[in-house]
Amino acid sequence: MVELIETGIPELDEILGGGIPKGNSVLLSGSCGTGKTILGEQFLFEGAKKNEIGIYISLSEPRDKIISNLEPFKFY
């Protein structure tokens, strides 16, 4: 049986059948403004609370902008 990692987003975990298979890499892609960054960051913050390892790579946004965009969210 495959071990699943919950995303910390209940509705997404339900859609995914319990979460993302442990050890898998996840690439979020889509148009501007669709929530890719927020989804990825929320997933990483939830994982960090459980001492899970994760990485966020942005090829277009500087670190300071990423952090300032996170400030309104409760998970930050």
Side-chain angles (χ1 to χ4, degrees), residues 11-76:
E11 296 85 357
L12 180 57
D13 289 333
E14 183 177 339
I15 291 168
L16 295 173
I20 297 169
K22 185 175 183 174
N24 280 22
S25 297
V26 177
L27 171 67
L28 299 174
S29 65
S31 300
C32 294
T34 57
K36 300 176 301 292
T37 300
I38 296 166
L39 174 64
E41 291 169 344
Q42 185 171 359
F43 173 69
L44 290 173
F45 272 80
E46 293 299 323
K49 291 177 188 176
K50 300 174 187 174
N51 292 318
E52 295 171 357
I53 297 170
I55 186 169
Y56 175 81
I57 299 171
S58 173
L59 302 176
S60 60
E61 288 186 291
R63 183 187 64 157
D64 293 342
K65 183 177 179 186
I66 292 168
I67 292 171
S68 69
N69 288 339
L70 279 172
E71 290 174 348
F73 295 100
K74 290 181 183 179
F75 65 84
Y76 181 71

